[in-house]
Amino acid sequence: MIDIEISTSAGFCFGVVNAINQAEQYLSKSRPLHSLGEIVHNSQEVDRLSQKGLQAINYDQLRQLPGGEKVLFRAHGEAPWVYDLAKEKDIHIIDATCPVVLQLQKRIRRTYERTRADKAQIVIFGKKGHAEVNGLVGQTNGEAIVIENTAEALALLDFSKPIYLFSQTTKSSRDYTELIEVIQAHLAPGITFKHYDTICRQVANRIPELIDFARSKDWIYFIAGKNSSNGKVLFDTAQKANPHTTFISSPDEITAPLPDWVRTVGISGATSTPTWLMEDVARKIRELNP
């Protein structure tokens, strides 16, 4: 018999739970409710909430909304110009920005305003085009430099000018530390370089737990949306700890029984992976491996 265990550290982070709770509370009283972008990087959860009346819209659709409409800003946060647009159009905002992201936005804004006279470079270690990163760049009037790896740091940064480095909240602590070391090694003498620990502890603390969990199982199914930034980080972590780790976004992707030698299976997921989806995966495994 195969033993199946769902990781207790997996599933929605506080920011996502808060955004979904706010959406459901509003939808229980009135509908529809618009969400600026998909509320979470998980298509199944997006579908579940859309059935309750949550309608995802983009920025062009936001501009076309009539006054008085209700729009939820998701946990990723938004740039200042989006708040200005909503105010101009008399749109009611339900602000579900994650408190960790909100504090990071404020910190970047203060640093940007304080360092303009020094011609400092505000640098964000993150995924280009990611909703959270877009909101962070917006705190600098679009001037922040986004880099995804050390190669881009070497290509895009001017090491003769001050550098203030921040990280997207869901990036890898290990990769961030490596980036800091590379910048320090190339910085011109006497140039200011400050870096800030802005990675969410809820994500960072999952890594050692995930490593132990993955190593304790014969096989791992890791569940996340294909666009989930922290899902990629956590999956890579699990796969390094256990090469028999498979990435899936839905139970339907499991189509064959496990190898005969597998006796223990672990199920984990990203901060955007709902518990009910991991439970569905467990049921599918049991069906295929009676």
Side-chain angles (χ1 to χ4, degrees):
M1 178 180 292
I2 293 178
D3 178 67
I4 303 170
E5 181 181 358
I6 297 174
S7 172
T8 56
S9 67
F12 287 154
C13 64
F14 168 79
V16 173
V17 170
N18 176 59
I20 290 174
N21 284 345
Q22 288 199 51
E24 290 186 319
Q25 286 172 14
Y26 179 85
L27 291 168
S28 68
K29 303 171 185 176
S30 179
R31 60 176 65 184
L33 171 65
H34 304 289
S35 169
L36 188 52
E38 293 187 342
I39 192 170
V40 63
H41 290 147
N42 185 281
S43 58
Q44 292 91 337
E45 183 68 7
V46 169
D47 289 344
R48 184 185 75 84
L49 290 169
S50 69
Q51 292 173 14
K52 291 177 176 285
L54 185 65
Q55 301 175 352
I57 61 171
N58 56 33
Y59 294 112
D60 287 339
Q61 291 169 315
L62 175 67
R63 292 184 177 93
Q64 296 168 13
L65 284 181
E69 290 291 304
K70 310 291 193 300
V71 178
L72 181 139
F73 285 7
R74 54 195 175 162
H76 301 89
E78 294 295 338
W81 70 265
V82 186
Y83 287 87
D84 293 342
L85 175 64
K87 182 178 180 179
E88 177 186 319
K89 294 184 61 62
D90 193 28
I91 290 171
H92 177 69
I93 298 171
I94 299 172
D95 197 343
T97 303
C98 172
V100 176
V101 174
L102 187 60
Q103 285 301 110
L104 175 54
Q105 288 182 341
K106 292 177 179 178
R107 198 171 192 179
I108 289 176
R109 186 69 185 178
R110 289 195 299 266
T111 303
Y112 170 74
E113 292 173 346
R114 190 181 72 246
T115 61
R116 287 309 80 213
D118 301 330
K119 297 183 179 180
Q121 300 164 97
I122 306 297
V123 182
I124 298 169
F125 175 49
K127 182 179 179 181
K128 294 182 181 70
H130 188 279
E132 179 190 324
V133 174
N134 290 343
L136 299 179
V137 173
Q139 308 306 315
T140 69
N141 295 323
E143 295 179 23
I145 302 169
V146 180
I147 56 175
E148 298 192 7
N149 49 54
T150 55
E152 289 188 354
L154 296 174
L156 299 176
L157 301 185
D158 184 343
F159 295 103
S160 66
K161 294 181 180 179
I163 296 174
Y164 292 80
L165 178 66
F166 300 85
S167 175
Q168 180 182 345
T169 60
T170 54
K171 296 296 286 183
S172 161
S173 296
R174 181 186 58 212
D175 293 344
Y176 191 43
T177 299
E178 180 184 353
L179 175 62
I180 291 169
E181 293 172 351
V182 167
I183 293 175
Q184 288 173 331
H186 289 80
L187 204 66
I191 296 300
T192 299
F193 172 45
K194 294 187 180 298
H195 51 87
Y196 303 90
D197 183 3
T198 56
I199 294 174
C200 176
R201 293 301 101 189
Q202 269 207 306
V203 176
N205 291 344
R206 290 188 183 194
I207 289 179
E209 295 172 352
L210 178 58
I211 290 172
D212 291 341
F213 182 73
R215 286 175 176 169
S216 71
K217 305 299 178 187
D218 295 331
W219 196 279
I220 296 289
Y221 280 109
F222 188 90
I223 312 154
K226 291 180 173 61
N227 295 324
S228 171
S229 180
N230 81 88
K232 183 181 185 305
V233 170
L234 293 173
F235 169 69
D236 289 344
T237 298
Q239 193 171 53
K240 287 176 182 175
N242 184 340
H244 300 293
T245 298
T246 301
F247 184 100
I248 59 172
S249 296
S250 164
D252 296 337
E253 296 175 42
I254 306 174
T255 58
L258 288 161
D260 292 338
W261 55 267
V262 174
R263 290 292 176 268
T264 57
V265 177
I267 299 173
S268 190
T271 58
S272 53
T273 303
T275 300
W276 63 261
L277 183 57
M278 291 186 283
E279 291 171 346
D280 284 353
V281 168
R283 281 191 286 271
K284 184 64 176 289
I285 295 169
R286 292 188 185 100
E287 289 174 5
L288 292 173
N289 302 274

